[in-house]
Amino acid sequence: MTILIFSALLLVFAFLAGILGALTGLGGGVVIIPVLVLLFHVNIHLAMGASLISVIATSSGTASAYLREGYTNLRIGMFLETTAVIGAFIGALLIAVLSKTFLTILFSFLLFFSAYLTIKRREEHEQYQDSHPWAIALKLDGNYPLKDRLESYRVQNVPLALFIMGIAGLIAGLLGVGSGTLKVLAMDQALRLPYKVATTTSNFMIGITAAVSAGIYFSHGYIDPKITFPVMIGVIIGSFTGAKILPKIHTRLLRIIFSIVICLIGLQMLYNALF
């Protein structure tokens, strides 16, 4: 395969990854790594490096659009990112120490659990009159556009969300993904945010987490321009496309898409780890 054909194919897959990442808050990395490793037989570490770049690109492509439209909760994103960044730094330092097989199996089961919780929640039937005391003190409550009006929401269980974010950052550093799965889980299940607020805020956060790890991956030589350049271009275009689609798509469909995607990824990771 010539470098031109390789770049063109990678651009197409990265474009699709960008759309999916923008809609689900997962970032493009969860698609990029399997594509590079399984289809193009790229070294796993180089694939992880390209994944981090794709995550940063997804975040850059959607953050401004979602913030302008009123979906992203900037206060929540910056507050929760503190523990995620610490976890990502520790994870990147431990990359050469911990077993990749064990981590892959563990993460695959976390994906299955996240899918179950995501499908199970029915946010349209929930009503919260009060917020968690930390949320009140930090002014984390907000609103988001719903049809032709602004819908307000109350933030719950802030300490639990902080803990989950730390784990998300650790996995981001170890596996080279933006850990958007656990970020969305923390905001959807712990903070009880509306799903579109959770996914868009996750898109904002994953770029920060990935940037912490990217410098360490670069110093190890795991960032290959021949791979990362078409990935970055494709993901940016895809993420802008996804950002235009999100306001028009129903929340329940988003939950189904998210759950199906992470289950498929979990099965793939589990199969590769065991066989």
Side-chain angles (χ1 to χ4, degrees), residues 33-55:
I33 289 181
V35 165
L36 286 174
V37 174
L38 299 178
L39 295 184
F40 297 109
H41 307 291
V42 173
N43 178 276
I44 182 65
H45 289 105
L46 294 178
M48 289 161 64
S51 167
L52 286 172
I53 298 300
S54 75
V55 167

Side-chain angles (χ1 to χ4, degrees), residues 126-206:
E126 298 175 0
Q127 289 187 345
Y128 298 100
Q129 300 300 322
D130 299 313
S131 302
H132 189 276
W134 291 15
I136 296 173
L138 296 168
K139 299 179 180 179
L140 300 182
D141 293 340
N143 52 61
Y144 74 108
L146 181 64
K147 297 181 180 179
D148 57 348
R149 69 182 193 279
L150 286 178
E151 182 77 11
S152 60
Y153 54 85
R154 308 295 182 190
V155 177
Q156 313 296 313
N157 304 324
V158 178
L160 176 60
L162 278 174
F163 173 75
I164 296 175
M165 283 295 175
I167 301 299
L170 186 68
I171 291 176
L174 286 168
L175 298 181
V177 296
S179 63
T181 305
L182 295 184
K183 284 183 168 65
V184 174
L185 178 67
M187 289 182 281
D188 182 48
Q189 299 296 320
L191 297 184
R192 312 305 285 181
L193 298 184
Y195 198 64
K196 288 186 178 181
V197 176
T199 57
T200 54
T201 304
S202 171
N203 267 307
F204 164 71
M205 297 171 65
I206 56 178

Side-chain angles (χ1 to χ4, degrees), residues 24 111 114-120 195 254-264:
T24 61
L111 291 179
S114 298
Y116 166 73
L117 291 178
T118 300
I119 286 292
K120 183 180 178 181
Y195 198 64
L254 273 182
R255 288 185 178 275
I256 293 171
I257 293 172
F258 177 88
S259 300
I260 291 174
V261 169
I262 63 175
C263 279
L264 290 174

Side-chain angles (χ1 to χ4, degrees), residues 50-104:
S51 167
L52 286 172
I53 298 300
S54 75
V55 167
I56 296 170
T58 302
S59 180
S60 302
T62 59
S64 59
Y66 287 150
L67 189 60
R68 182 176 60 252
E69 292 169 6
Y71 287 103
T72 302
N73 189 314
L74 194 60
R75 281 181 175 270
I76 289 177
M78 294 301 295
F79 175 63
L80 295 183
E81 194 60 24
T82 54
T83 53
V85 166
I86 294 172
F89 181 73
I90 296 172
L93 293 178
L94 294 176
I95 187 174
V97 179
L98 298 180
S99 167
K100 278 290 189 298
T101 301
F102 170 76
L103 290 171
T104 303

